[in-house]
Amino acid sequence: MDANRYTVRVTKDDLVFSAGHFITFNGDECERIHGHNWRVAVEVDGPLDENEYVFDFIALRDLTRALVLELDHRMLLPARNPHIAVSEEGSNLVCRYRDRYWSFPKDECVVLPVSNTTTERIAEYLGDRLRGALADRGLAVPGSMRVMVEENFGQWATAHWPGG
């Protein structure tokens, strides 16, 4: 039996999305709305399987691409931020932070189940969704996985799911 462990990495030109966001920080500050051209990469570690690979590149790429497309050209809003309230008002979502508020068309937003739309939380969200998508399709969920999200050239955040 091969005792080595291997890593596969998927990062393609189409694993990118353009989206707006804003975050709260230092407990009582809220930054201005802005956007990024985010890039996503996924790494999976493990032993080789009966096909002599760690994971099917195509399945990993396609599932990641589908998740990335859900975020493309959207406003990313946090559902669990204690300082930002998101509510529906007609066909819009209204976000309130203290005396500031923003109104966005509902169909142009994605409300993420995160406390803040930081790059770290977006990486975690994508990884959790990817792991769920793999399980839903009956594919093996990697024990060890990393999802990296770049919000700006050279500025990456990584969420880890360490394996055994």
Side-chain angles (χ1 to χ4, degrees):
M1 176 174 236
D2 190 349
N4 294 329
R5 294 187 60 83
Y6 302 86
T7 300
V8 296
R9 179 183 174 128
V10 174
T11 183
K12 306 286 279 182
D13 287 341
D14 60 353
L15 295 182
V16 298
F17 63 99
S18 297
H21 79 136
F22 58 96
I23 64 171
T24 57
F25 59 99
N26 292 337
D28 64 348
E29 295 182 53
C30 185
E31 69 181 357
R32 297 176 75 146
I33 294 172
H34 63 283
H36 300 284
N37 292 317
W38 313 76
R39 291 183 56 83
V40 177
V42 178
E43 286 185 353
V44 174
D45 297 330
L48 298 180
D49 67 10
E50 66 278 359
N51 297 310
E52 302 294 322
Y53 54 72
V54 176
F55 206 88
D56 180 357
F57 280 115
I58 304 303
L60 196 58
R61 179 202 66 199
D62 291 351
L63 289 170
T64 303
R65 181 185 301 134
L67 296 173
V68 164
L69 287 174
E70 292 175 7
L71 304 180
D72 194 32
H73 289 86
R74 300 286 187 259
M75 185 67 189
L76 307 180
L77 302 171
R80 299 178 183 156
N81 188 302
H83 306 291
I84 298 173
V86 178
S87 61
E88 287 189 33
E89 291 187 13
S91 62
N92 281 13
L93 291 177
V94 174
C95 301
R96 288 182 170 79
Y97 171 81
R98 295 187 175 181
D99 62 343
R100 296 166 63 188
Y101 68 93
W102 307 267
S103 181
F104 305 104
K106 193 180 341 181
D107 64 345
E108 295 181 20
C109 298
V110 177
V111 181
L112 301 174
V114 298
S115 57
N116 220 347
T117 55
T118 61
T119 308
E120 294 86 347
R121 291 297 186 198
I122 292 169
E124 178 183 42
Y125 165 78
L126 287 170
D128 286 342
R129 289 282 316 277
L130 180 58
R131 293 170 72 80
L134 292 168
D136 290 347
R137 285 160 181 79
L139 299 171
V141 177
S144 179
M145 185 175 85
R146 284 172 299 287
V147 173
M148 288 82 46
V149 174
E150 181 184 48
E151 74 166 21
N152 197 352
F153 184 74
Q155 294 175 200
W156 291 86
T158 303
H160 299 260
W161 291 261

